[in-house]
Amino acid sequence: MPSAVAPQRRSRENSSGEEDSQISDAGGSSIKRARINLNGDARRTSQSPVLPSGYRPNGSDAMQQETLRAGRSKSKHQPGSIVRVKLANFVTYTAVEFLPGPSLNMVIGPNGTGKSTLVCAICLGLGWGPQHLGRAKDVSEYVKHGEQEATIEIELAGDPKRHRRNPVIKCNIKRENNKSTFSIDGKPSNKKAVIELCKSFTIQIDNLCQFLPQDKVVEFAAMTPVELLRSTQRAVAPQEMLDMHDELKEHRQKQRSIQAKAQADQDALENLENRQRMQADDVQRMRDREVIKERVRLMEASRPFPAYRAAKKSFVEAKKTKKEAMDELDKLKNDVEPSMRVLNAKEEYQRQIEAATNAKRKAVADAEKTADNIDRKLQSLLGRKGELEAEVEAEKNSARETRKDITRTQGTIVALKRRIDEEQPNLDISGYNERIRGKQKANDEAGQKVLDLKRQLIDIGSRGQGKKERIVQAQKDLENLESQAGQRENKLRQASQDTFKAWEWIKKHQDEFEKPVFGPPMVECSVADPKYVDQIETLLQRGQMLMITCQTKNDFKKLGDILHDRLHLAEINMQHMTGTLADFPPPIERDQLGRYGLTGWALDYITGPEPVMAMLCANVRLERTGVGDHDTTSEQFELLQNGPIENWVTRRSSYKIVRRREYGPSATSTNVRDVRRAQVWTNQPIDMGAKRDLQENIEGWTGEITELKSEAATAQKEIEELRNTIREAAEEIRDLQTEKAGKQKLLSELRALPTKLAQQVEKLATAQQSISELRQRLAQIKEKQDQLTQERAETAIGYVGAVETLQARHLEVYEAEIMLIEANSDLATLAEKNAAQKELLVLKGREVEHLDKEVARLRNAATHLLQKVKEVMALVSEQEDTALDDHIKGLSEEQTSEQLEEEIESEKARLELMHEGNDRGVIKEFESREKRIVTLRTNLEGLKEDLEQAGERIQGIRERWEPELDRLVGLISRSFGENMKEIGCAGEVGVSKEDDFENWSIKILVKFRETEPLTALDSHRQSGGERAVSTIFYLMSLQSLTRSPFRVVDEINQGMDPRNERLVHRRMVGIACGGDGLLRDSAAENHHEVNGVNGVERSFDSVTVGNGDGADVFGDGGEGGGGKGVPQSQYFLITPKLLPSLTYARGMRVLCIASGEYMPEVSDKVDFRGCVDLARGLRREVAVR
């Protein structure tokens, strides 16, 4: 698109008031502004377009003089106000430059032309983020569609004390990486530096009291009174006020934290003291119990001492008794020594005889063993003899077989030599192969013919099947022509082949789904009353008519995969619907529709399966769309526009009401469409031509099938003949191959005869060699038999000797046993004589042995107790347990373990009579609690001092902050009341003060009717228009106190009624431009139009030249109002609509946004400045006449 007109740069100080400014188009040509001479004639230095023929000037000479003065007046921008905004490839603009005035700037133009884009440019260009606009989240979304980079250039009025020239901030936005880069006066910078520069001018884009974009209007209205107080302070109070407020909140929070801590400590102290008093007696008793427990501990620890003394005494006594017993044993041994000496000698003799007898018995056993070994060897030799005889027999058998083999081999050799001497037959292998190949070739040709005929049969079958399917489909289509459902399916096929194929597949596979799947409404639904079929079809779009409805998520996913992945169908509309018609109730009952001129809801006139109907309600809202059989009257339309029905359709039109809630209930628009003729749910007569075509096609396809059957029969006959030929040829080939194989075998055998003869000769030699080796083996076996006979004889002689030796050993054993019997008899006689003395000696020995064990036991017990005593003493030394040491030293030497145990049991009995419990834990807790009480008392003293200091700090800050806040809010309240009074209403602003500074808030009270009292401004009591009026008046009330160089309000007048909007506008002009500069004629004041041109069109002092994508805005502004020497903030008021006959004042600048597809491509064809200059001249002429 062509670029917009870009004006040349003006001087920084007088950019808004010079008459000699020029406008340059894209080609570099310039159009100078028309000048007005003293006679009121308008002359142009270049040709300008002619005014519309319907233009008729009207106005007074005073109006013209004021307008001329406004054109010649000059004013300066306040520091920080916006002098120029230049955009490139930003949102809707390709290139544009705005030159706002220093006071009130009204930005007007139709919706979508780019008014709010100026607001977005100011926010983003000054370094703030898109979150303050309430629109797109990423800055890259503000780059114009199709472009990669956008540029914002903003020139701010400089402070003469700090700046030599106006600062120029430039912002480049990259779409690719969603980043913004900044520069200040052509030097690269960053976002932080840009925001710091803006803050130095007290620019607060993030304060809704200063910068209120369109999408933040609702947010401002929803701002809480607490938030409004902070925003108000940011807008009109110095930073010190905000800091003091924050300090008060912080100190109050700390004070409450200290109070809470002090109260908690005080409660804890009282609780602890009460518990100390309650447990004092118990603790004393527990301490007494601890004394007893300590005594028990000492006595239990001293147990080893009396036990050791007792064990030591017992050991000494046992040792003495043992010595006495040993002396008695020695004396007894001396008394019985002679008798025992004889007995011992006899015992020694008996032992020697017994040893000799045992040796003889062992000799007998050894002799028996030797005889047994010789006997086993003899038996083994007998077995070896049998084995050798068997070997001889086996060799003889082998010799006989070998001789037979020699005879057979010799016969075979003779036969082979005879066959070798015979003549060998001839074999023609190539001839056989040639005959076989010929037969095989003929067979292959016949097989190929069979394959060709089979392919021909398959083709005939395929063609016949296709003809049959066409006949079946044609018959089905013929039936469908005669049924309503069939007609709808035909229409479905005509509307979407993919949807038709999908529906055909679904009908055949319904059993594969969890619940029934419903086809498109085109085939599933119908209109009960044909009178409403046009209205119902008008409500449904093509996609909704073709929508397939699934009742479960699994069916939806499964069907989608099948239709897209398996069947490859592209144009498919599906929806998962789980709701029922009960989920879609109408807004009002049907019997109430008559007053709106409607006969029913759209849902009442269409029938079909409930899931399909629920789907249509979810998508088209049939249950909320009214249907009427007559056109809507004006009265009915007014009722519908203000009622609960947003959609309805009549005989010829369809209506849809669009409401913008953020602008109030009156901000509505209505979309109207014509009702189209129904194409689906209509009962059309049968198409006879189509029927005749289908019948002719069926007859033709039937004849073709008969011909195909005849061709198939002929081909099948040929196949059978060829198969017979192939079988005969195969048999001949097998015979030739058999004959060839037999002759080949015979020839192979003849060729192998010499080899076989050599093998037989070699076999004969081997057999003859085997006979020679057999004789040698027989001789060796004979030699082994002779050796075996000799060994048997020697073994038999040895066996006889072993038996004789065994008999001699038996005799010796018998003699030794007799001597042993005699020795045992003598020993028994002597033992019987000395038995009493020996028994006495044994008893005394046992006694000594027992005493020895007892002494050892007592020694171990005493040693063990001594170790325990040492452990106790080591523990006393290690732990420095003086109490235990003193107790041990005080033990009586006469005290026994039994006495000690009795004392321990006595003390334990006293403990059992006292209260049991965790004595140590209770006492420890009592002592710990006492320490905590001391600590809490100290802390409370410190907290009291902290509370006093916090209160003094709060009081000091509050004494400085609260009076100033009351003064500022009082000024705002007076201004707000005067503004409200100007429109016949009342209002005041106050501060709601609570103990917590966090909850201090602005309280706005308004009254729009004389009969009602002042009430708080909220969304429940006032209408949207009343809230809008109050909001803009509150913002205007900040004007005289503002610290901001400019304010932006976007479409705040939406939702106001004409009267309030006119009064608000007049008040805003008066505040922003001052009362002295107000211009208004009688026609404007009475809201009359003269000759089709209203006052606001005649009083514009700024014009816009637009081309294609953007607008070039420039104009002159007069002195800003507000009183002499009183600086005024720059205002930006953005609105898409404008009432006629609004107030105009010097210093106002109207920025008219003109853009769109119908703008001329050449910029010099549109010259609004020329039009205004010419209009001024015409007014002058009319006034003179």
Side-chain angles (χ1 to χ4, degrees):
M1 297 181 69
S3 61
V5 177
Q8 295 182 354
R9 293 286 299 273
R10 305 182 182 184
S11 65
R12 296 288 186 245
E13 297 298 331
N14 299 320
S15 61
S16 63
E18 294 187 1
E19 289 288 341
D20 297 333
S21 299
Q22 296 181 352
I23 306 171
S24 299
D25 62 8
S29 62
S30 63
I31 303 173
K32 293 187 177 180
R33 298 184 182 178
R35 300 177 182 273
I36 301 177
N37 56 25
L38 295 176
N39 297 324
D41 298 331
R43 295 187 178 89
R44 306 264 327 266
T45 58
S46 63
Q47 185 179 359
S48 62
V50 181
L51 288 173
S53 58
Y55 183 85
R56 293 293 183 271
N58 187 16
S60 63
D61 183 68
M63 175 69 72
Q64 296 175 17
Q65 295 297 328
E66 291 294 341
T67 302
L68 292 176
R69 286 200 301 274
R72 291 192 297 270
S73 64
K74 298 180 180 179
S75 63
K76 295 183 179 180
H77 288 74
Q78 297 301 319
S81 61
I82 297 174
V83 176
R84 180 175 57 87
V85 179
K86 185 176 181 180
L87 309 176
N89 297 326
F90 187 77
V91 191
T92 60
Y93 294 115
T94 299
V96 66
E97 187 172 36
F98 296 90
L99 299 173
S103 298
L104 179 60
N105 292 274
M106 293 191 62
V107 184
I108 63 175
N111 284 326
T113 54
K115 300 182 301 301
S116 297
T117 301
L118 174 60
V119 179
C120 298
I122 293 173
C123 176
L124 300 179
L126 295 181
W128 272 266
Q131 68 272 16
H132 300 292
L133 297 171
R135 292 193 172 188
K137 295 182 179 179
D138 298 327
V139 292
S140 60
E141 298 185 35
Y142 291 88
V143 180
K144 186 178 179 182
H145 181 70
E147 302 294 338
Q148 296 301 317
E149 181 178 358
T151 303
I152 305 171
E153 185 175 301
I154 299 178
E155 179 180 345
L156 300 176
D159 186 352
K161 298 179 181 179
R162 294 185 296 151
H163 305 96
R164 297 177 59 186
R165 60 178 184 174
N166 291 344
V168 177
I169 301 171
K170 188 173 183 180
C171 172
N172 290 324
I173 302 174
K174 300 284 187 181
R175 181 189 296 276
E176 182 177 0
N177 54 6
N178 192 34
K179 297 293 184 182
S180 301
T181 58
F182 293 87
S183 64
I184 300 176
D185 294 333
K187 298 179 181 179
S189 184
N190 53 43
K191 186 175 182 179
K192 182 178 180 181
V194 171
I195 293 179
E196 290 297 328
L197 175 62
C198 294
K199 288 185 176 180
S200 68
F201 289 112
T202 66
I203 296 174
Q204 302 173 3
I205 299 298
D206 54 347
N207 189 348
L208 296 181
C209 290
Q210 179 184 133
F211 189 86
L212 188 60
Q214 176 183 351
D215 294 281
K216 291 286 186 176
V217 171
V218 176
E219 184 177 330
F220 181 84
M223 187 182 294
T224 65
V226 174
E227 296 170 341
L228 185 59
L229 174 61
R230 181 165 184 81
S231 296
T232 301
Q233 288 187 92
R234 291 183 62 197
V236 302
Q239 182 62 34
E240 184 183 1
M241 289 282 289
L242 283 171
D243 295 341
M244 285 191 291
H245 191 189
D246 291 338
E247 289 179 8
L248 284 172
K249 290 189 285 187
E250 181 181 356
H251 289 320
R252 177 66 77 191
Q253 185 176 4
K254 290 182 179 178
Q255 185 185 45
R256 290 195 169 183
S257 176
I258 295 172
Q259 289 174 343
K261 183 171 178 54
Q263 184 61 42
D265 287 352
Q266 182 63 39
D267 294 342
L269 177 62
E270 294 176 359
N271 182 34
L272 292 175
E273 290 177 343
N274 290 334
R275 293 176 65 183
Q276 288 295 86
R277 287 192 294 272
M278 293 172 61
Q279 290 186 345
D281 296 337
D282 293 337
V283 168
Q284 183 59 43
R285 180 174 49 78
M286 291 177 184
R287 285 174 175 168
D288 295 340
R289 177 180 173 83
E290 286 297 318
V291 172
I292 298 174
K293 289 174 66 176
E294 177 65 13
R295 188 179 300 115
V296 171
R297 182 187 74 84
L298 296 176
M299 288 189 293
E300 289 179 342
S302 62
R303 276 174 173 164
F305 290 91
Y308 171 69
R309 287 196 297 269
K312 183 178 179 181
K313 182 178 180 182
S314 299
F315 169 71
V316 172
E317 293 175 353
K319 190 175 180 182
K320 180 180 179 181
T321 303
K322 174 187 172 184
K323 186 177 182 306
E324 294 175 352
M326 290 181 66
D327 293 341
E328 292 177 359
L329 178 61
D330 292 339
K331 183 176 181 303
L332 184 60
K333 285 181 178 180
N334 293 329
D335 294 340
V336 299
E337 182 180 0
S339 301
M340 293 303 296
R341 189 180 301 114
V342 175
L343 180 62
N344 290 336
K346 184 56 73 174
E347 286 179 352
E348 180 63 25
Y349 174 73
Q350 187 269 343
R351 282 195 294 273
Q352 291 177 357
I353 295 299
E354 186 175 8
T357 303
N358 290 335
K360 299 295 182 180
R361 290 172 180 169
K362 183 176 182 303
V364 170
D366 292 339
E368 288 177 349
K369 185 177 180 181
T370 301
D372 291 339
N373 289 336
I374 294 173
D375 183 58
R376 282 194 295 271
K377 182 178 180 181
L378 187 61
Q379 296 299 325
S380 174
L381 292 173
L382 289 173
R384 179 61 178 156
K385 177 183 178 184
E387 292 175 358
L388 291 175
E389 291 174 351
E391 288 180 7
V392 170
E393 186 63 27
E395 292 293 343
K396 290 179 179 180
N397 292 335
S398 177
R400 285 193 291 270
E401 292 297 327
T402 302
R403 289 189 183 96
K404 291 179 181 179
D405 289 340
I406 290 172
T407 302
R408 285 194 296 270
T409 303
Q410 290 174 346
T412 303
I413 291 172
V414 172
L416 289 173
K417 288 180 178 179
R418 187 170 55 252
R419 289 189 65 184
I420 291 172
D421 295 338
E422 294 176 356
E423 184 179 357
Q424 297 183 357
N426 293 325
L427 177 63
D428 187 6
I429 299 298
S430 61
Y432 276 105
N433 291 339
E434 185 67 25
R435 291 168 62 189
I436 291 172
R437 280 196 296 270
K439 295 291 184 181
Q440 187 65 45
K441 182 177 180 183
N443 205 12
D444 292 342
E445 290 176 355
Q448 184 62 42
K449 289 181 180 179
V450 170
L451 292 177
D452 294 340
L453 289 172
K454 284 184 176 180
R455 282 194 289 268
Q456 184 178 352
L457 281 176
I458 292 172
D459 180 62
I460 291 172
S462 177
R463 289 157 57 195
Q465 184 63 29
K467 301 294 182 182
K468 289 180 181 179
E469 291 177 355
R470 291 183 183 180
I471 291 174
V472 172
Q473 185 61 42
Q475 290 173 346
K476 185 177 179 181
D477 293 342
L478 193 61
E479 294 175 358
N480 289 340
L481 284 175
E482 299 175 357
S483 66
Q484 188 177 20
Q487 292 178 10
R488 291 181 186 171
E489 291 190 355
N490 286 333
K491 292 178 181 178
L492 175 61
R493 180 163 52 189
Q494 295 170 6
S496 173
Q497 282 288 340
D498 286 354
T499 307
F500 177 76
K501 292 177 182 178
W503 177 231
E504 289 295 313
W505 187 92
I506 291 170
K507 289 191 294 184
K508 296 177 183 178
H509 301 83
Q510 281 284 6
D511 57 341
E512 298 181 12
F513 299 101
E514 296 177 356
K515 290 186 177 181
V517 177
F518 296 97
M522 183 179 290
V523 298
E524 293 281 9
C525 300
S526 61
V527 179
D529 191 344
K531 182 171 63 175
Y532 298 102
V533 68
D534 293 342
Q535 290 95 316
I536 299 302
E537 284 199 22
T538 299
L539 296 174
L540 303 180
Q541 302 297 323
R542 181 175 181 274
Q544 295 157 354
M545 293 288 282
L546 300 176
M547 188 74 69
I548 296 173
T549 305
C550 300
Q551 299 188 72
T552 67
K553 289 184 178 179
N554 293 335
D555 289 348
F556 179 81
K557 184 179 184 305
K558 180 179 181 180
L559 182 59
D561 294 342
I562 292 173
L563 298 182
H564 290 96
D565 300 339
R566 188 194 303 176
L567 303 181
H568 305 291
L569 302 179
E571 188 186 10
I572 298 297
N573 297 295
M574 297 172 52
Q575 183 166 343
H576 166 225
M577 191 68 207
T578 57
T580 63
L581 288 178
D583 300 328
F584 302 96
I588 60 175
E589 296 297 331
R590 183 175 180 179
D591 54 7
Q592 300 179 20
L593 294 175
R595 60 192 296 261
Y596 298 102
L598 304 175
T599 58
W601 301 108
L603 184 62
D604 300 333
Y605 298 103
I606 184 171
T607 59
E610 183 174 1
V612 180
M613 301 295 290
M615 180 273 294
L616 292 176
C617 290
N619 289 276
V620 191
R621 305 180 71 184
L622 294 178
E623 83 288 357
R624 303 180 67 87
T625 302
V627 177
D629 52 5
H630 298 288
D631 294 337
T632 301
T633 64
S634 300
E635 294 79 5
Q636 292 170 348
F637 182 83
E638 184 70 22
L639 287 173
L640 288 165
Q641 194 175 26
N642 298 320
I645 302 175
E646 296 181 352
N647 302 283
W648 73 94
V649 59
T650 63
R651 185 173 56 183
R652 288 183 293 190
S653 301
S654 172
Y655 300 85
K656 182 177 181 180
I657 296 177
V658 180
R659 295 184 173 92
R660 298 190 65 178
R661 303 296 183 185
E662 63 269 24
Y663 297 138
S666 60
T668 61
S669 62
T670 305
N671 297 330
V672 183
R673 294 186 295 126
D674 293 335
V675 172
R676 64 175 184 268
R677 297 283 297 175
Q679 300 293 328
V680 178
W681 292 316
T682 56
N683 295 324
Q684 298 179 352
I686 298 176
D687 188 347
M688 299 305 298
K691 181 178 181 180
R692 187 165 49 255
D693 291 342
L694 290 173
Q695 291 173 343
E696 291 175 355
N697 289 337
I698 292 172
E699 292 176 359
W701 291 331
T702 303
E704 292 177 3
I705 290 174
T706 303
E707 294 176 359
L708 291 173
K709 288 181 178 179
S710 176
E711 293 179 9
T714 302
Q716 187 64 39
K717 184 177 179 182
E718 293 181 8
I719 289 172
E720 291 297 328
E721 293 175 353
L722 289 171
R723 284 178 176 171
N724 293 332
T725 303
I726 291 171
R727 282 194 295 270
E728 292 174 359
E731 291 177 359
E732 293 177 1
I733 290 171
R734 283 195 298 272
D735 293 341
L736 287 173
Q737 289 175 341
T738 302
E739 184 179 350
K740 173 187 172 184
K743 291 184 177 183
Q744 283 180 332
K745 181 179 180 182
L746 177 60
L747 184 59
S748 299
E749 289 177 355
L750 290 175
R751 290 174 179 174
L753 287 177
T755 302
K756 288 184 178 180
L757 179 59
Q759 291 174 350
Q760 292 298 321
V761 171
E762 183 179 358
K763 182 178 178 182
L764 179 61
T766 302
Q768 292 172 350
Q769 180 67 26
S770 177
I771 290 297
S772 176
E773 293 175 355
L774 179 62
R775 293 191 185 99
Q776 294 178 1
R777 288 197 297 274
L778 286 174
Q780 292 175 356
I781 294 172
K782 179 63 175 172
E783 184 179 355
K784 289 181 180 179
Q785 286 178 336
D786 293 342
Q787 293 176 356
L788 182 62
T789 301
Q790 183 179 357
E791 187 176 358
R792 285 178 59 201
E794 292 175 352
T795 303
I797 294 171
Y799 182 72
V800 172
V803 170
E804 292 177 351
T805 301
L806 179 61
Q807 290 176 349
R809 297 290 182 270
H810 275 292
L811 291 174
E812 293 175 356
V813 169
Y814 296 154
E815 292 175 357
E817 287 180 348
I818 292 171
M819 293 175 66
L820 179 61
I821 292 170
E822 291 175 353
N824 288 334
S825 176
D826 294 342
L827 180 62
T829 302
L830 289 175
E832 184 177 357
K833 292 180 179 180
N834 297 294
Q837 294 179 347
K838 188 176 181 179
E839 182 178 0
L840 182 61
L841 186 63
V842 170
L843 290 175
K844 184 56 71 173
R846 290 177 181 173
E847 181 182 356
V848 171
E849 183 180 355
H850 172 72
L851 289 173
D852 185 59
K853 293 180 180 179
E854 181 66 17
V855 169
R857 184 185 68 79
L858 291 174
R859 182 189 294 111
N860 293 334
T863 303
H864 177 69
L865 291 171
L866 178 60
Q867 183 63 32
K868 286 188 176 182
V869 168
K870 291 180 178 180
E871 290 177 358
V872 173
M873 297 307 297
L875 185 64
V876 170
S877 176
E878 180 182 352
Q879 297 183 354
E880 297 181 357
D881 192 345
T882 57
L884 181 58
D885 189 24
D886 295 340
H887 178 74
I888 292 172
K889 292 178 180 179
L891 288 175
S892 173
E893 292 292 336
E894 302 299 327
Q895 187 180 30
T896 64
S897 295
E898 291 75 9
Q899 294 173 345
L900 180 61
E901 291 298 330
E902 289 178 0
E903 292 183 10
I904 292 174
E905 292 299 325
S906 174
E907 293 297 331
K908 286 184 176 181
R910 292 181 60 192
L911 283 176
E912 290 177 359
L913 295 176
M914 301 179 71
H915 173 71
E916 290 190 20
N918 187 9
D919 300 346
R920 183 172 300 177
V922 173
I923 295 173
K924 186 176 180 181
E925 181 183 356
F926 185 85
E927 295 172 350
S928 175
R929 193 182 299 122
E930 187 66 32
K931 294 178 182 178
R932 287 177 61 194
I933 289 173
V934 175
T935 302
L936 285 174
R937 287 171 179 167
T938 305
N939 291 344
L940 281 173
E941 294 296 329
L943 290 174
K944 289 179 181 179
E945 295 179 1
D946 293 341
L947 277 176
E948 292 176 359
Q949 294 176 2
E952 293 173 357
R953 285 193 293 268
I954 291 173
Q955 187 62 28
I957 298 173
R958 182 171 183 175
E959 289 175 354
R960 291 184 291 127
W961 174 72
E962 185 175 7
E964 182 63 19
L965 178 64
D966 291 339
R967 185 185 69 81
L968 290 174
V969 174
L971 294 174
I972 295 171
S973 180
R974 284 195 294 273
S975 178
F976 182 73
E978 291 175 2
N979 292 335
M980 295 293 288
K981 186 177 180 181
E982 285 289 326
I983 64 172
C985 304
E988 65 180 37
V989 180
V991 180
S992 177
K993 302 178 182 180
E994 297 187 14
D995 183 60
D996 192 350
F997 293 102
E998 289 275 359
N999 297 326
W1000 281 44
S1001 61
I1002 288 290
K1003 187 175 183 181
I1004 301 176
L1005 301 176
V1006 294
K1007 181 175 74 171
F1008 286 91
R1009 299 164 188 83
E1010 292 184 0
T1011 58
E1012 65 182 17
L1014 285 169
T1015 56
L1017 178 66
D1018 57 35
S1019 58
H1020 302 291
R1021 294 186 177 91
Q1022 290 81 23
S1023 64
E1026 291 171 345
R1027 292 197 303 274
V1029 170
S1030 303
T1031 299
I1032 190 62
F1033 276 169
Y1034 184 80
L1035 295 178
M1036 291 162 56
S1037 301
L1038 305 179
Q1039 173 66 20
S1040 60
L1041 304 174
T1042 184
R1043 299 172 56 83
S1044 173
F1046 66 86
R1047 296 178 184 278
V1048 175
V1049 181
D1050 191 358
E1051 297 192 19
I1052 192 65
N1053 57 338
Q1054 294 298 318
M1056 293 185 189
D1057 58 66
R1059 174 181 175 276
N1060 285 338
E1061 185 176 352
R1062 196 179 305 278
L1063 293 173
V1064 168
H1065 177 79
R1066 174 180 175 80
R1067 188 60 182 160
M1068 180 179 291
V1069 172
I1071 292 175
C1073 301
D1076 296 337
L1078 293 177
L1079 301 177
R1080 182 180 58 194
D1081 63 11
S1082 58
E1085 186 170 0
N1086 295 319
H1087 318 310
H1088 292 159
E1089 293 187 2
V1090 180
N1091 296 327
V1093 181
N1094 57 41
V1096 68
E1097 294 179 5
R1098 296 194 300 276
S1099 61
F1100 283 168
D1101 187 52
S1102 74
V1103 295
T1104 302
V1105 176
N1107 188 4
D1109 295 331
D1112 178 17
V1113 184
F1114 65 95
D1116 299 327
E1119 289 280 359
K1124 296 180 179 180
V1126 179
Q1128 293 293 312
S1129 288
Q1130 187 181 39
Y1131 257 92
F1132 288 89
L1133 177 61
I1134 291 91
T1135 177
K1137 63 172 183 151
L1138 218 68
L1139 297 173
S1141 305
L1142 291 177
T1143 301
Y1144 180 75
R1146 289 177 301 180
M1148 275 183 64
R1149 178 162 296 182
V1150 181
L1151 306 178
C1152 232
I1153 307 295
S1155 66
E1157 57 181 333
Y1158 298 108
M1159 296 300 295
E1161 296 183 359
V1162 182
S1163 61
D1164 58 4
K1165 289 186 178 180
V1166 179
D1167 185 4
F1168 290 132
R1169 168 58 65 187
C1171 294
V1172 173
D1173 291 342
L1174 181 60
R1176 289 171 176 169
L1178 293 175
R1179 288 181 186 172
R1180 176 76 175 179
E1181 292 179 3
V1182 172
V1184 171
R1185 293 175 186 173

